[in-house]
Amino acid sequence: IPFLRSTAPREAIAEAAALIRRAKRPAVVFGGGVHGSDAADDATTLADRFGGLVVTSLSGKGSVPETRPYAAGVLNPLGSWAAIELIQEADLIVWCGSKVSQNTGMNWSLPKPDQATITIDCDPMEHGRTFRPTVPLLGDVREILRDLTAALGDSMTGTRPDWEARIAAVIAQGEAEKAEDMASNQIPVLPPRVMAELASRITDADIVVSDASFSAGWIAGFIPAKFAGRQFLFARGQGGLGYSVPGAIGAAATRPEARIVTVAGDGAFSYTIGELATLAQYNQRVVNVVINNGKLGWIQLWQELYFGNVQSAALESQHATPGYAAAGTALGLLGIYVDKPDEIPPVQAEVQAEI
């Protein structure tokens, strides 16, 4: 949390507020800077009065409750279909505490040339780094959000009925399309079904830690942020494959009363599997969910796209099938293997009773 806070000049705040009021299809993207400034409540206050679309980056997940009607989820190639569709239609995008990285900027295709932009960040190097903002607001995210909310005056919610109806319709379509996979009884078990079962038991007191690669997308798209605050930790910037277990160790050391849930693919989990012994040694309240498809999925995807064949992406063969549950048991933890969807709820109950 910042020790010193500053805000943008009054004139720039007024210019940004006027731009928002004039917009017909405004959107805001909340990034990890919201959590870095401890500003989730302030972000939600602005969003409730904004009268437009609200999405987040992976690191910004939880800036607003994703149960709000305007919240379309995570803007990322692995994230929400609704967020990706709707952000293209915005005539104004407010980038708040977001670097507008390759992923959040959809491979730097955002913002589009015809989209006005407002940037909110305490780092002067972030303003204009990949595009020239219409109105840059340099200062602490929380302070600027408070000043901008005040400058907006009356709530804009309900003043753009066509845009708000469009947002609701696209979100509803996206949720309907996800529902089939989330309820699937397919074997092998589909990741959305696993995430749906996890989401049904995640409480406000839990912390969810994502590993790198596809697991970030499964969490982003299928485990909703139900309250404003930092509940989700992603391997962004500071961590690559293997982040989830060390990240959980740190989270558990900081919040020993909390239950930590990690999600990783088998490839990522293999990187730091030895640290399961640390979890056992410190008796930390950590549940590790490994989605095992026997391959380095992201690496295989890119090898197929760019080379037309796959080299060294397989993690299983006819001669060897690693057992991650058995490895957990050998290192002092409870390890359980699940291969059918209907096995997930009783296993969750068993694990919940254990920790």
Side-chain angles (χ1 to χ4, degrees):
I1 297 174
F3 174 66
L4 294 175
R5 297 180 184 267
S6 61
T7 192
R10 185 180 307 169
E11 296 79 8
I13 294 284
E15 185 180 357
L19 187 58
I20 293 170
R21 285 194 294 267
R22 290 196 304 270
K24 296 179 179 179
R25 298 179 306 279
V28 59
V29 181
F30 289 123
V34 172
H35 294 308
S37 185
D38 194 26
D41 288 340
D42 301 283
T44 302
T45 298
L46 175 69
D48 285 345
R49 302 168 60 83
F50 186 69
L53 172 68
V54 176
V55 299
T56 74
S57 67
L58 285 172
S59 298
K61 188 177 175 72
S63 295
V64 300
E66 291 176 335
T67 53
R68 292 290 211 273
Y70 51 67
V74 172
L75 179 63
N76 186 285
L78 296 177
S80 161
W81 171 82
I84 296 170
E85 287 292 308
L86 288 165
I87 201 70
Q88 308 294 329
E89 302 176 23
D91 61 356
L92 165 67
I93 304 179
V94 181
W95 301 91
C96 180
S98 170
K99 299 187 297 292
V100 198
S101 64
Q102 177 182 2
N103 288 327
T104 309
M106 298 300 296
N107 290 313
W108 292 294
S109 65
L110 293 174
K112 299 192 298 184
D114 60 345
Q115 291 175 322
T117 54
I118 297 169
T119 53
I120 302 173
D121 207 288
C122 65
D123 184 351
M125 297 301 292
E126 292 299 335
H127 299 273
R129 185 165 63 92
T130 58
F131 60 90
R132 291 291 184 263
T134 310
V135 182
L137 298 177
L138 175 62
D140 178 71
V141 167
R142 190 188 72 180
E143 297 306 303
I144 290 176
L145 284 173
R146 291 178 177 180
D147 288 348
L148 188 57
T149 300
L152 279 174
D154 294 339
S155 174
M156 302 291 291
T157 299
T159 63
R160 304 179 180 99
D162 291 345
W163 181 224
E164 292 180 29
R166 173 65 177 160
I167 292 168
V170 174
I171 290 174
Q173 182 180 348
E175 292 301 307
E177 292 177 357
K178 291 193 308 185
E180 183 177 351
D181 285 344
M182 294 171 70
S184 172
N185 289 316
Q186 179 178 320
I187 299 173
V189 184
L190 294 181
R193 174 63 187 271
V194 179
M195 296 300 102
E197 297 289 355
L198 280 178
S200 70
R201 289 180 179 264
I202 295 292
T203 71
D204 291 356
D206 296 333
I207 298 172
V208 180
V209 183
S210 171
D211 219 297
S213 195
F214 285 110
S215 54
W218 301 132
I219 291 172
F222 296 95
I223 303 181
K226 298 177 182 177
F227 68 95
R230 178 169 250 169
Q231 184 181 24
F232 297 87
L233 302 177
F234 291 91
R236 301 290 99 187
Q238 82 276 30
L241 289 173
Y243 171 82
S244 59
V245 174
I249 291 170
T254 305
R255 293 269 308 280
E257 80 288 352
R259 180 178 60 176
I260 318 297
V261 179
T262 79
V263 177
D266 49 326
F269 194 72
S270 300
Y271 275 69
T272 50
I273 196 168
E275 292 305 324
L276 296 181
T278 304
L279 296 179
Q281 179 182 359
Y282 288 95
N283 195 30
Q284 293 182 320
R285 300 185 66 213
V286 177
V287 180
N288 298 296
V289 178
V290 182
I291 300 178
N292 185 355
N293 64 351
K295 65 184 71 173
L296 291 161
W298 190 258
I299 292 174
Q300 176 171 316
L301 170 67
W302 285 96
Q303 288 180 350
E304 290 173 345
L305 286 174
Y306 284 94
F307 303 108
N309 63 1
V310 178
Q311 301 289 330
S312 304
L315 298 173
E316 296 180 358
S317 69
Q318 294 178 344
H319 309 291
T321 302
Y324 300 99
T329 300
L331 290 169
L333 303 175
L334 172 65
I336 304 174
Y337 183 78
V338 173
D339 62 0
K340 297 180 179 65
D342 59 5
E343 295 174 349
I344 300 174
V347 164
Q348 285 185 303
E350 180 181 356
V351 170
Q352 200 162 9
E354 184 75 16
I355 66 167

